[in-house]
Amino acid sequence: MTLLGDKIQEADWKKEKHVPVIECPDAVKKDEFFEINVGLGKAIAHPNTTEHHIRWISLYFHPQDEKFTVDIARFTFNAHGESVKGPDTSTIYTHHQGTTWMKTSKPGTLYAMAYCNIHGLWQSAKEITVT
Ligand code: FE2
């Protein structure tokens, strides 16, 4: 049996347009909120059409030496040009980018997972230290 985790793809975001990019400080202050931006297409733009788009990005944090992963935020991108006239006719598109804030007293790893409606699941990770 294969598990869902085996199907989540990963690559270098500079070469692969589906990989979510996590932007935040490498080191954060203990128990102080910091900003996190997550999105796609920093190096290579991903299409945003009715037929081909990023549906959502989820963000998780796994504190060092803890057993469980924490769900931080979920961004859904719901407008991709569709209208009663057909695909790509509304001129309204949600951009696949999200911003949130979090705080932690422990270092750990941020994980992002993105879903492309035709190319499946993609993940990336970023280590966070606490000072
Ligand atoms: Fe795609």
Side-chain angles (χ1 to χ4, degrees), residues 64-113:
Q64 195 173 57
D65 303 323
E66 296 278 344
K67 183 174 181 182
F68 299 112
T69 303
V70 179
D71 185 10
I72 298 297
R74 183 167 296 110
F75 304 100
T76 58
F77 312 114
N78 295 330
H80 301 284
E82 59 274 67
S83 86
V84 70
K85 295 176 186 166
D88 295 305
T89 55
S90 79
T91 74
I92 300 164
Y93 297 83
T94 316
H95 187 57
H96 37 254
Q97 181 85 33
T99 300
T100 191
W101 292 72
M102 69 166 281
K103 65 180 182 178
T104 175
S105 62
K106 293 186 172 183
T109 306
L110 277 165
Y111 295 97
M113 186 155 60

Side-chain angles (χ1 to χ4, degrees), residues 13 21 23 37-45 97:
W13 65 267
V21 179
E23 294 177 304
N37 289 295
V38 63
L40 279 92
K42 298 290 174 192
I44 309 165
Q97 181 85 33

Side-chain angles (χ1 to χ4, degrees), residues 24-46:
C24 68
D26 297 333
V28 301
K29 291 194 173 133
K30 184 178 179 182
D31 299 325
E32 283 190 21
F33 280 105
F34 61 95
E35 185 176 309
I36 305 166
N37 289 295
V38 63
L40 279 92
K42 298 290 174 192
I44 309 165
H46 186 279

Side-chain angles (χ1 to χ4, degrees), residues 16-18 46-47 52-54 116-120 122:
E16 169 52 59
K17 63 180 177 279
H18 288 95
H46 186 279
H52 185 192
H53 55 261
I54 300 300
C116 168
N117 70 320
I118 58 176
H119 296 118
W122 294 81

